[in-house]
Amino acid sequence: MTSTRIPTLMAVLLICVLFASVWAPAAVAQRDDVVIVVSEESVARPWLLPRPVSDEDYYDNGAPDPLQVELGKLLFYDKLLSGNKNISCATCHHGLTDTGDGLSLPVGEGGKGLGVTRSPGEVATGGIHERVPRNAPPVFNLGAKEFERMFHDGRAEVDPTQPSGFRSPAGDLLPTDPPLDNILAVQAMFPVTSPDEMAGQSTESDIGAAATAGDVVEVWRLLAERLRDEQNNYVNLFVDAFDDIYTAADIEFVHAANAIAAFEAFAWRADNSPFDRFLRGDKTVLSLRARRGMRLFYGAAGCSECHAGAFQTDHDFHCMAMPQIGPGKGDGPSGHEDFGRERVTGEEADRFCFRTPTLRNVALTGPWGHTGAYNTLEAAVAHMLEPIDSLVTYDQSQAALPSRDDLDAVDFMVMNDPDLVTDIGVACEGEAVELRPRQFDNLIEFIHALTDPASLDLRDDVPGSVPSGLPVAD
Ligand code: HEC
Ligand code: HEC
């Protein structure tokens, strides 16, 4: 939580008190008493634009080893890394779906198909058991060194006090030899250990058995064995890409994670948007409307208080009253809540707080929010402007969730319970800002100017085939 917004927090406290005492959807209009109305041209606060992004912001100055990049791309799209060989990293972070999956919540291990057409299957025939509880975030620009925290709750992060240099759910089990190159590589160690994302269930494979028993080290060992197996055609690629690999026996899963990180950092760097070019000196590249929107973003609309810095994120955690849909993380009396940052810190003050996402390419990467509750950029931005109104008037038809009766049955348990919605609203720290329709359009225009045109077509990042011979498409 930020400590620089004392007046704001006081206003929010007032909102929350009002809200807590009179909760009922109709009563929320009372909050209008403290809505901040932004005047047409005035900018209430001084505003500063970030410095332009450059090569130095990225690992290896933006030029990771090309052989590792190529190997990482194959691994990223290869279902060999999943217990049942039926899902790859790309299933949820695909080049054809803007490094996400186009869904509010992913359909994990056992599903079939890609993007919004992905089907959950039936449990009896190996389909998914429940939805993955959080939205699959985009992977743009995560090779920039300032991204030191991964996941919506930041549960993996750079921490020089740890033997590995990183704090993560694996604690001391995180390998140190060979070392993990960066936090992006640390992140890549985890999806393979999750039964619902990639590992599968206990009876289905040795990897599924190790994963359901919580034995992450064994999952990594079994996957390294697969990569060492000549039949999967990876050995030469690892030998060529890594100086410390001479024979198959030298391959560890850490090498795979480092290669995947090199690929993600290289392929999905996105810092040539009109906004970037504007910051680098091309003053003609932004439309008048986008410049007005930029002024709102960095001024009176207050966005940059959290969406700060070169990548529009302070990398900190805030409670923004995002609707909670899907199975949740097992928190709270309903078992369908997600306490967010509190799950990592144990601090009740962090309940319902989530990491501020970068807004680079955000116009491409819907659905939005940590559960993908909003299916349009306009609705997501409207939420940021008036979080509590938006929470209590949430339109459930916006959720992009492939249907199956048992899955549908839990999707809106939290949102249908006024007490639980109130809890999320009371924790909210975002203050309401009212824009005129034209100002809102200008703000949206500016957010579109954060899109790098090179990210509009990512087909080159999708390999036609992978070494294991497993199908790349479903
Ligand atoms: C079943 C879908 C699924 C699969 C498969 C999957 N991911 Fe993810 N990924 C997610 C979800 C959901 C999150 C967010 C989880 C959270 O915050 O708790 C995530 C988070 C991430 C992040 C962090 C982004 C950020 O901004 O913090 C990266 C990077 C990433 N995944 C890369 C990978 C890689 C590499 C693989 C393969 C080894 C992979 N993912 C496999 C769904 C998936
Ligand atoms: C107090 C901090 C804060 C302020 C102020 C703020 N945001 Fe956010 N924003 C966040 C956080 C935190 C999230 C993620 C919330 C979640 O998913 O639970 C977010 C999410 C978003 C998203 C969805 C991104 C995605 O990838 O899902 C958009 C778009 C966005 N904000 C735009 C804005 C705009 C535009 C403004 C100004 C009108 C703004 N935000 C003001 C903290 C803030």
Side-chain angles (χ1 to χ4, degrees), residues 78 80 85 225-227 229-234 467-469:
D78 201 331
L80 188 67
K85 303 185 183 174
E225 258 179 19
R226 282 191 183 176
L227 296 170
D229 183 343
E230 294 286 352
Q231 284 186 0
N232 291 321
N233 300 316
Y234 270 106
S468 68

Side-chain angles (χ1 to χ4, degrees), residues 88-89 92-93 134 137 150-152 155 187 191 264 355:
S88 70
C89 307
C92 301
H93 305 281
R134 290 180 181 160
M150 293 287 136
F151 299 115
H152 295 288
R155 66 186 179 277
Q187 191 286 327
E264 293 170 314
R355 192 191 50 178

Side-chain angles (χ1 to χ4, degrees), residues 55-56 58-69 143 262 265-266 269:
D55 288 351
E56 289 84 70
Y58 294 86
Y59 302 124
D60 310 306
N61 285 329
D65 182 311
L67 293 173
Q68 290 185 21
V69 170
F266 181 77
R269 176 174 166 179

Side-chain angles (χ1 to χ4, degrees), residues 5 138 152 297 301-307 316-320 322 352 354-359 362 365 367-371 377 380-381 384-385 429-430 443 447:
R5 310 181 61 213
H152 295 288
F297 187 96
C303 313
S304 63
E305 289 183 17
C306 304
H307 296 284
D316 211 339
F317 303 86
H318 302 278
C319 297
M320 294 303 287
M322 272 286 176
F352 305 124
F354 293 87
R355 192 191 50 178
T356 311
T358 172
L359 298 184
V362 72
T365 58
W368 292 267
H370 72 269
T371 57
L377 178 64
V381 171
M384 285 291 130
L385 287 164
E429 72 180 87
L443 186 57
I447 293 174

Side-chain angles (χ1 to χ4, degrees), residues 163-166 168 170-181 185-186 189-190 216-217 220-221 252-255 257:
S164 64
F166 307 99
S168 82
D172 291 343
L173 299 177
L174 207 59
T176 52
D177 183 26
L180 285 149
D181 283 347
V186 172
M189 300 293 283
F190 289 97
V216 291
V217 174
W220 296 327
R221 193 189 68 75
E252 299 292 347
F253 190 71
V254 169
H255 293 112

